[in-house]
Amino acid sequence: MKRPTLTFLGTGASCGVPSYYCGCAACEEARVDPRAARDCSGLLICGLQHTLIDAAPELRTQLIRERVSTIDQVLFTHEHFDHVGGIPQLEFFVRLSSKKPLPIYASKETLAAIEQQFGFMSEVLKPHLLEPFAPVRLDGILYTPLPAAHSKGAFGFLIEPQGEESPAAPTSTSPPVRVAYFPDTGPLPPQTLKRLSALDILIIDATFNGKNWMPDSHHTIDEAIACALALGAECTYLTHLTMHYDKPITLEELKEKLKPYQGAIRVAYDGLGVPLS
Ligand SMILES: [Zn+2]
Ligand SMILES: [Zn+2]
Ligand SMILES: [Zn+2]
Protein backbone atom coordinates (compact mmCIF):
# COMPACT_ATOMS: atom_id res chain seq x y z
CA MET A 1 0.00 0.00 0.00
CA LYS A 2 1.43 3.36 -0.99
CA ARG A 3 2.08 5.81 1.82
CA PRO A 4 1.42 9.44 0.98
CA THR A 5 4.28 11.90 0.78
CA LEU A 6 4.38 15.66 0.74
CA THR A 7 6.96 17.44 -1.42
CA PHE A 8 7.79 21.13 -1.30
CA LEU A 9 7.67 22.25 -4.93
CA GLY A 10 8.73 25.76 -3.94
CA THR A 11 9.48 27.52 -0.66
CA GLY A 12 10.04 31.14 -1.64
CA ALA A 13 7.92 34.28 -1.80
CA SER A 14 6.98 36.03 -5.05
CA CYS A 15 10.44 37.50 -5.67
CA GLY A 16 12.18 34.09 -5.49
CA VAL A 17 15.72 33.44 -4.31
CA PRO A 18 17.91 34.61 -5.90
CA SER A 19 16.00 37.64 -7.14
CA TYR A 20 17.43 38.49 -10.55
CA TYR A 21 17.83 42.14 -9.53
CA CYS A 22 19.51 41.54 -6.17
CA GLY A 23 23.11 41.03 -5.12
CA CYS A 24 22.58 40.58 -1.37
CA ALA A 25 24.39 37.84 0.55
CA ALA A 26 21.32 35.53 0.45
CA CYS A 27 20.89 35.91 -3.31
CA GLU A 28 24.62 35.47 -3.97
CA GLU A 29 24.58 32.32 -1.82
CA ALA A 30 21.69 30.94 -3.90
CA ARG A 31 23.55 31.71 -7.14
CA VAL A 32 26.40 29.39 -6.15
CA ASP A 33 24.44 26.83 -4.07
CA PRO A 34 21.24 25.52 -5.70
CA ARG A 35 20.05 24.21 -2.31
CA ALA A 36 19.60 27.84 -1.21
CA ALA A 37 17.54 28.79 -4.30
CA ARG A 38 13.76 29.08 -3.91
CA ASP A 39 10.87 29.08 -6.37
CA CYS A 40 7.46 30.45 -5.45
CA SER A 41 5.66 28.25 -2.92
CA GLY A 42 3.61 25.16 -3.66
CA LEU A 43 3.12 21.58 -2.44
CA LEU A 44 2.73 18.24 -4.16
CA ILE A 45 0.96 15.48 -2.23
CA CYS A 46 1.41 12.01 -3.67
CA GLY A 47 -0.76 9.11 -2.60
CA LEU A 48 -2.32 7.02 -5.31
CA GLN A 49 -2.98 10.35 -7.02
CA HIS A 50 -1.10 13.62 -7.43
CA THR A 51 -2.64 16.59 -5.63
CA LEU A 52 -1.20 20.09 -5.90
CA ILE A 53 -1.64 22.90 -3.45
CA ASP A 54 -1.20 26.04 -5.54
CA ALA A 55 0.32 26.47 -8.98
CA ALA A 56 3.42 28.66 -8.80
CA PRO A 57 4.65 30.48 -11.92
CA GLU A 58 7.53 27.95 -12.02
CA LEU A 59 5.09 24.97 -11.99
CA ARG A 60 6.39 23.46 -15.23
CA THR A 61 9.99 23.22 -14.07
CA GLN A 62 8.90 22.10 -10.59
CA LEU A 63 6.91 19.17 -12.04
CA ILE A 64 9.74 18.19 -14.38
CA ARG A 65 12.17 18.25 -11.45
CA GLU A 66 9.86 15.96 -9.42
CA ARG A 67 9.20 13.70 -12.45
CA VAL A 68 5.45 14.26 -12.23
CA SER A 69 3.52 13.65 -15.44
CA THR A 70 -0.09 13.65 -14.19
CA ILE A 71 -2.11 15.86 -11.86
CA ASP A 72 -5.45 14.77 -10.43
CA GLN A 73 -6.56 17.93 -8.63
CA VAL A 74 -5.36 21.33 -7.44
CA LEU A 75 -6.32 23.12 -4.23
CA PHE A 76 -5.60 26.83 -3.99
CA THR A 77 -4.74 28.83 -0.88
CA HIS A 78 -5.47 32.19 -2.57
CA GLU A 79 -5.30 34.12 -5.80
CA HIS A 80 -2.00 36.00 -5.60
CA PHE A 81 0.21 35.60 -8.65
CA ASP A 82 2.90 33.57 -6.85
CA HIS A 83 0.22 30.91 -6.13
CA VAL A 84 -1.80 30.90 -9.37
CA GLY A 85 0.68 32.09 -12.02
CA GLY A 86 1.31 28.51 -13.20
CA ILE A 87 -2.35 27.81 -14.04
CA PRO A 88 -1.84 28.35 -17.80
CA GLN A 89 0.79 25.57 -17.72
CA LEU A 90 -2.02 23.14 -16.90
CA GLU A 91 -3.84 23.82 -20.19
CA PHE A 92 -1.99 21.46 -22.49
CA PHE A 93 -1.78 18.72 -19.85
CA VAL A 94 -5.59 18.74 -19.91
CA ARG A 95 -6.04 19.21 -23.66
CA LEU A 96 -3.42 16.70 -24.81
CA SER A 97 -2.84 14.27 -21.93
CA SER A 98 -5.66 13.81 -19.38
CA LYS A 99 -8.39 14.96 -21.82
CA LYS A 100 -10.80 15.73 -18.98
CA PRO A 101 -11.34 18.97 -17.05
CA LEU A 102 -9.00 19.28 -14.07
CA PRO A 103 -10.81 19.64 -10.70
CA ILE A 104 -9.74 22.75 -8.79
CA TYR A 105 -10.78 23.65 -5.23
CA ALA A 106 -10.76 27.13 -3.71
CA SER A 107 -12.77 29.74 -1.81
CA LYS A 108 -15.41 31.73 -3.70
CA GLU A 109 -13.10 34.78 -3.78
CA THR A 110 -10.20 32.74 -5.18
CA LEU A 111 -12.38 30.93 -7.74
CA ALA A 112 -13.74 34.30 -8.93
CA ALA A 113 -10.22 35.73 -9.27
CA ILE A 114 -9.03 32.64 -11.20
CA GLU A 115 -12.03 32.93 -13.52
CA GLN A 116 -11.30 36.61 -14.06
CA GLN A 117 -7.54 36.20 -14.64
CA PHE A 118 -7.62 32.94 -16.59
CA GLY A 119 -10.99 33.02 -18.37
CA PHE A 120 -9.43 31.24 -21.37
CA MET A 121 -8.93 28.19 -19.09
CA SER A 122 -12.64 27.83 -18.26
CA GLU A 123 -13.18 24.74 -20.38
CA VAL A 124 -10.16 22.89 -18.96
CA LEU A 125 -10.76 23.59 -15.25
CA LYS A 126 -13.62 22.16 -13.17
CA PRO A 127 -14.15 24.49 -10.17
CA HIS A 128 -15.27 23.22 -6.75
CA LEU A 129 -16.18 25.65 -3.98
CA LEU A 130 -14.45 25.29 -0.63
CA GLU A 131 -16.19 26.66 2.45
CA PRO A 132 -14.15 27.51 5.56
CA PHE A 133 -13.90 24.60 8.03
CA ALA A 134 -15.71 22.20 5.62
CA PRO A 135 -13.35 19.33 4.74
CA VAL A 136 -13.07 17.61 1.36
CA ARG A 137 -11.70 14.10 0.96
CA LEU A 138 -9.40 13.64 -2.02
CA ASP A 139 -7.41 10.46 -2.64
CA GLY A 140 -8.15 9.30 0.92
CA ILE A 141 -6.77 12.48 2.47
CA LEU A 142 -8.93 14.98 4.32
CA TYR A 143 -8.23 18.63 3.45
CA THR A 144 -9.87 21.17 5.78
CA PRO A 145 -9.71 24.79 4.56
CA LEU A 146 -9.00 27.13 7.47
CA PRO A 147 -9.07 30.94 7.16
CA ALA A 148 -5.63 32.59 7.00
CA ALA A 149 -4.84 36.22 7.85
CA HIS A 150 -4.00 37.27 4.31
CA SER A 151 -6.15 38.27 1.31
CA LYS A 152 -9.96 37.93 1.38
CA GLY A 153 -10.90 34.27 1.07
CA ALA A 154 -7.33 33.04 1.72
CA PHE A 155 -7.03 29.58 3.27
CA GLY A 156 -4.44 27.37 4.82
CA PHE A 157 -5.12 23.63 4.89
CA LEU A 158 -5.25 21.01 7.59
CA ILE A 159 -4.11 17.83 5.82
CA GLU A 160 -5.01 14.48 7.37
CA PRO A 161 -4.49 11.08 5.77
CA GLN A 162 -7.48 9.03 6.90
CA GLY A 163 -6.28 5.69 8.29
CA GLU A 164 -7.93 2.53 7.01
CA GLU A 165 -10.58 4.34 4.96
CA SER A 166 -7.81 5.66 2.75
CA PRO A 167 -6.37 3.62 -0.07
CA ALA A 168 -3.32 5.91 0.06
CA ALA A 169 -2.86 6.23 3.80
CA PRO A 170 -0.69 4.17 6.13
CA THR A 171 -1.92 0.95 7.66
CA SER A 172 -3.09 0.84 11.27
CA THR A 173 0.48 0.32 12.57
CA SER A 174 1.24 4.00 12.06
CA PRO A 175 -1.21 6.62 13.32
CA PRO A 176 -2.45 9.24 10.83
CA VAL A 177 -0.39 12.39 10.56
CA ARG A 178 -1.84 15.88 11.08
CA VAL A 179 -0.25 18.53 8.90
CA ALA A 180 -1.11 22.23 8.64
CA TYR A 181 0.01 24.29 5.62
CA PHE A 182 -0.11 28.09 5.86
CA PRO A 183 2.27 29.57 3.26
CA ASP A 184 0.75 33.06 3.45
CA THR A 185 -0.58 34.32 6.75
CA GLY A 186 -0.15 36.95 9.41
CA PRO A 187 -1.17 36.16 13.00
CA LEU A 188 -3.54 33.19 12.66
CA PRO A 189 -7.25 33.89 13.35
CA PRO A 190 -8.52 32.47 16.70
CA GLN A 191 -11.01 30.10 15.00
CA THR A 192 -8.18 28.67 12.92
CA LEU A 193 -5.82 28.34 15.90
CA LYS A 194 -8.47 26.23 17.66
CA ARG A 195 -8.14 23.64 14.91
CA LEU A 196 -4.36 23.40 15.04
CA SER A 197 -3.78 21.40 18.21
CA ALA A 198 -1.69 18.21 18.25
CA LEU A 199 -0.04 18.85 14.90
CA ASP A 200 2.69 16.55 13.71
CA ILE A 201 3.85 19.00 11.08
CA LEU A 202 3.26 22.76 10.82
CA ILE A 203 4.36 24.51 7.62
CA ILE A 204 4.22 28.24 8.17
CA ASP A 205 4.80 31.62 6.51
CA ALA A 206 8.22 33.07 7.41
CA THR A 207 8.28 35.69 4.64
CA PHE A 208 10.31 38.46 6.21
CA ASN A 209 13.57 38.73 8.14
CA GLY A 210 13.92 41.65 10.52
CA LYS A 211 11.18 44.22 10.02
CA ASN A 212 7.74 42.97 8.93
CA TRP A 213 6.59 45.02 5.94
CA MET A 214 3.08 43.48 6.05
CA PRO A 215 2.38 42.52 9.68
CA ASP A 216 -1.30 41.75 9.07
CA SER A 217 -0.71 39.33 6.22
CA HIS A 218 2.74 37.76 6.70
CA HIS A 219 5.15 36.65 9.42
CA THR A 220 8.78 37.40 10.00
CA ILE A 221 11.05 34.44 10.71
CA ASP A 222 10.91 35.36 14.42
CA GLU A 223 7.09 35.53 14.36
CA ALA A 224 6.94 32.15 12.59
CA ILE A 225 9.19 30.68 15.29
CA ALA A 226 6.93 32.17 18.01
CA CYS A 227 3.87 30.67 16.26
CA ALA A 228 5.61 27.27 16.06
CA LEU A 229 6.47 27.35 19.77
CA ALA A 230 2.93 28.43 20.72
CA LEU A 231 1.33 25.63 18.67
CA GLY A 232 3.89 23.05 19.80
CA ALA A 233 3.83 21.00 16.61
CA GLU A 234 6.18 18.00 16.60
CA CYS A 235 8.02 19.57 13.69
CA THR A 236 7.67 22.96 12.04
CA TYR A 237 8.96 23.93 8.59
CA LEU A 238 9.47 27.59 7.71
CA THR A 239 8.41 28.41 4.15
CA HIS A 240 7.51 31.33 1.80
CA LEU A 241 10.88 32.84 2.66
CA THR A 242 12.18 35.96 0.90
CA MET A 243 15.52 35.50 2.70
CA HIS A 244 16.33 39.15 2.04
CA TYR A 245 13.59 41.52 3.21
CA ASP A 246 14.06 43.61 5.07
CA LYS A 247 17.47 42.22 6.03
CA PRO A 248 19.32 39.45 4.13
CA ILE A 249 19.86 36.14 5.93
CA THR A 250 21.76 33.30 4.27
CA LEU A 251 20.62 29.69 4.52
CA GLU A 252 23.70 28.95 6.65
CA GLU A 253 22.80 31.80 9.03
CA LEU A 254 19.17 30.67 9.23
CA LYS A 255 20.18 27.07 10.01
CA GLU A 256 22.45 28.41 12.77
CA LYS A 257 19.55 30.47 14.16
CA LEU A 258 17.34 27.35 14.28
CA LYS A 259 19.95 25.12 15.97
CA PRO A 260 18.65 25.73 19.53
CA TYR A 261 15.32 24.12 18.52
CA GLN A 262 17.10 20.81 17.89
CA GLY A 263 15.19 19.86 14.77
CA ALA A 264 11.74 20.90 16.01
CA ILE A 265 11.87 24.00 13.76
CA ARG A 266 13.47 23.55 10.35
CA VAL A 267 13.85 25.50 7.17
CA ALA A 268 12.03 23.98 4.18
CA TYR A 269 13.78 23.79 0.82
CA ASP A 270 12.63 23.19 -2.74
CA GLY A 271 12.35 19.48 -3.48
CA LEU A 272 12.22 18.39 0.19
CA GLY A 273 10.00 15.31 0.59
CA VAL A 274 8.27 14.45 3.89
CA PRO A 275 6.48 11.10 4.42
CA LEU A 276 2.93 11.49 5.78
CA SER A 277 3.07 8.39 7.94
ZN1 LIG B 1 2.61 34.03 -1.52
ZN1 LIG C 1 18.69 39.39 -2.31
ZN1 LIG D 1 -0.32 36.06 -1.02
Side-chain angles (χ1 to χ4, degrees), residues 19 22-27 244 248:
S19 293
C22 187
C24 78
C27 288
H244 55 177

Short mmCIF file of all heavy atoms in Angstrom, two decimals, residues 19 22-27 244 248, ligand 2:
data_model
loop_
_atom_site.label_atom_id
_atom_site.label_comp_id
_atom_site.label_asym_id
_atom_site.label_seq_id
_atom_site.Cartn_x
_atom_site.Cartn_y
_atom_site.Cartn_z
N SER A 19 16.76 36.70 -6.31
CA SER A 19 16.00 37.64 -7.14
C SER A 19 16.97 38.15 -8.21
O SER A 19 18.11 38.49 -7.90
CB SER A 19 15.53 38.82 -6.30
OG SER A 19 14.57 38.38 -5.37
N CYS A 22 18.95 41.34 -7.52
CA CYS A 22 19.51 41.54 -6.17
C CYS A 22 20.88 40.87 -6.01
O CYS A 22 21.07 39.75 -6.48
CB CYS A 22 18.54 40.98 -5.13
SG CYS A 22 19.06 41.35 -3.45
N GLY A 23 21.77 41.56 -5.37
CA GLY A 23 23.11 41.03 -5.12
C GLY A 23 23.41 40.87 -3.65
O GLY A 23 24.57 40.89 -3.24
N CYS A 24 22.36 40.72 -2.82
CA CYS A 24 22.58 40.58 -1.37
C CYS A 24 23.22 39.22 -1.07
O CYS A 24 23.29 38.34 -1.93
CB CYS A 24 21.26 40.74 -0.60
SG CYS A 24 20.21 39.29 -0.63
N ALA A 25 23.67 39.06 0.17
CA ALA A 25 24.39 37.84 0.55
C ALA A 25 23.52 36.59 0.34
O ALA A 25 24.02 35.54 -0.10
CB ALA A 25 24.81 37.94 2.02
N ALA A 26 22.20 36.69 0.61
CA ALA A 26 21.32 35.53 0.45
C ALA A 26 21.17 35.17 -1.02
O ALA A 26 21.16 33.98 -1.40
CB ALA A 26 19.95 35.82 1.08
N CYS A 27 21.04 36.18 -1.88
CA CYS A 27 20.89 35.91 -3.31
C CYS A 27 22.19 35.39 -3.91
O CYS A 27 22.19 34.47 -4.73
CB CYS A 27 20.42 37.17 -4.04
SG CYS A 27 18.69 37.56 -3.67
N HIS A 244 15.58 37.88 2.12
CA HIS A 244 16.33 39.15 2.04
C HIS A 244 15.53 40.40 2.34
O HIS A 244 16.04 41.51 2.14
CB HIS A 244 17.09 39.28 0.70
CG HIS A 244 16.27 39.14 -0.52
ND1 HIS A 244 16.82 39.30 -1.78
CD2 HIS A 244 14.98 38.86 -0.70
CE1 HIS A 244 15.87 39.11 -2.67
NE2 HIS A 244 14.76 38.85 -2.04
N PRO A 248 18.93 40.76 4.66
CA PRO A 248 19.32 39.45 4.13
C PRO A 248 19.76 38.48 5.23
O PRO A 248 20.40 38.88 6.19
CB PRO A 248 20.51 39.76 3.20
CG PRO A 248 20.43 41.22 2.94
CD PRO A 248 19.78 41.84 4.12
ZN ZN B 2 18.69 39.39 -2.31
#
